[in-house]
């Protein structure tokens, strides 16, 4: 009996946190990535984030690729995909929808880090990246 | 009694007629030139397949093509477009149900007319149907900076995002 209550209580908690999952903020995501990396939030670096954004890497077809390549040199501006479709700005100052959905953020980090760096980004790199974008005005 | 039966006959004839008149999809109602495709809604497809390009109409490739394409999303034309397995399976079901060879659209029959059943091209832009429809577009035009790629349908078909490809909506950018 008690076990049943505990179980349904846990199930309800699960539902609540799954719903809450959609409502992150750049700050709450920074805190999560810092925790995952095992460092305090204050150890995240906007400078390293900017370097990650700008550094060019050799791409598969010999052309240099970078995050800035699609998201443009200035992240408060709209970018373009390879096919020419508009990408809304990455900086939350210009686009409040950014970094508010943990699943979406993880999906694009996974894809875009693989494409640009040929590997996944670390939790620390993700935290740095959001730290820098949060300051971009 | 007789009048009543005749009355029912007239009413149902009118009913069938108006059903026929209103159930024709708008594209087909315009005759052979109609390339306004019926609007399709599918949450995952619209959310996941329209962030890098328009959500290409499922009726422009056969089922076998969609299966190949959805099986290789981590290496999707040189980009990583990977999805979680559940979303991927859900989108594939939708694409197959509306594919060119699903028998659900005139658009699909047009594509299949110039394709053999064993073909499974990964690109719409490589199908014979597409090449024939675009034979007046020169090689130099496709590679213009404002277009970039034949896959950029929306560069010329200004309402492509809504499934409208009629010739009177085409404008090739400079």
């Amino acid at each position: 009996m008690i076990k049943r209550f505990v179980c349904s209580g846990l199930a309800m908690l699960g539902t609540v946190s799954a719903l809450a999952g959609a409502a992150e903020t750049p700050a709450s995501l920074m805190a999560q990535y810092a925790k995952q990396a095992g460092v305090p939030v204050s150890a995240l670096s906007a400078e390293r984030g900017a370097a990650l954004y700008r550094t060019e890497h050799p791409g598969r077809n010999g052309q240099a690729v970078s995050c800035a390549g699609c998201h443009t040199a200035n992240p408060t501006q709209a970018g373009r995909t390879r096919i020419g479709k508009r990408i809304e700005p990455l900086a939350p100052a210009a686009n409040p929808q950014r970094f508010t959905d943990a699943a979406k953020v993880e999906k694009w980090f996974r894809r875009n880090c693989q494409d640009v760096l040929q590997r996944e980004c670390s939790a620390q790199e993700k935290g740095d990246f959001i730290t820098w974008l949060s300051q971009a005005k | 009694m007789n009048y009543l039966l005749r009355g029912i006959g007239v009413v149902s004839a009118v009913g069938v007629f108006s059903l026929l008149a209103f159930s024709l999809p708008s594209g087909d109602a315009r005759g052979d030139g109609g390339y306004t495709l019926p609007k399709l809604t599918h949450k995952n497809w619209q959310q996941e397949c329209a962030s890098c390009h328009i959500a290409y109409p499922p009726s422009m490739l056969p089922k076998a093509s969609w299966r190949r394409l959805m099986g290789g999303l981590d290496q999707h034309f040189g980009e990583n477009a990977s999805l979680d397995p559940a979303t991927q399976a859900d989108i594939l079901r939708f694409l197959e149900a509306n594919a060119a060879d699903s028998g659900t659209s005139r658009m699909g029959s047009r594509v299949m007319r110039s394709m053999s059943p064993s073909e499974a091209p990964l690109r719409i832009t490589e199908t014979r149907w597409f090449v024939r429809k675009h034979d007046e577009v020169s090689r130099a035009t496709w590679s213009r900076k404002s277009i970039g790629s034949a896959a950029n349908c929306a560069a010329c078909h200004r309402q492509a995002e809504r499934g409208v490809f009629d010739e009177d909506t085409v404008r090739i950018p400079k």
Side-chain angles (χ1 to χ4, degrees), chain A residues 53-54 67-68 70-80 86-96 98-99 129-137:
Chain A
Y53 187 85
R54 298 217 168 89
C67 311
C70 287
H71 294 293
T72 76
N74 178 351
T76 63
Q77 276 166 15
R80 270 191 198 291
R86 180 186 162 95
I87 307 176
E88 295 304 325
L90 263 197
N95 179 3
R98 291 300 182 199
F99 304 103
F129 193 77
I130 304 175
T131 304
W132 177 64
L133 286 177
S134 305
Q135 297 175 5
K137 289 259 151 56

Side-chain angles (χ1 to χ4, degrees), chain A residues 3-4 6 8 10-11 15 27 30 36 38 40-41 44 55 64-66 74 80 82 90 94 109-110 120-121 129 134:
Chain A
K3 214 165 152 194
R4 275 256 292 283
V6 173
S8 57
L10 277 180
T15 318
M30 279 155 58
Q36 230 175 295
V41 177
L44 296 177
T55 306
V65 290
S66 67
N74 178 351
R80 270 191 198 291
R82 215 175 89 202
L90 263 197
F109 269 134
R110 184 186 72 230
E120 302 245 353
C121 284
F129 193 77
S134 305

Side-chain angles (χ1 to χ4, degrees), chain B residues 3 10 15 18 25 30 40-41 49 56 70-71 84 89 91 121 124 129 140 147 168:
Chain B
Y3 279 112
V10 170
S18 52
R30 288 207 208 160
L40 295 174
T41 44
C49 301
Y56 299 115
M70 292 302 287
D84 65 87
I91 294 175
I124 296 163
W129 166 82
I147 301 169
D168 55 351

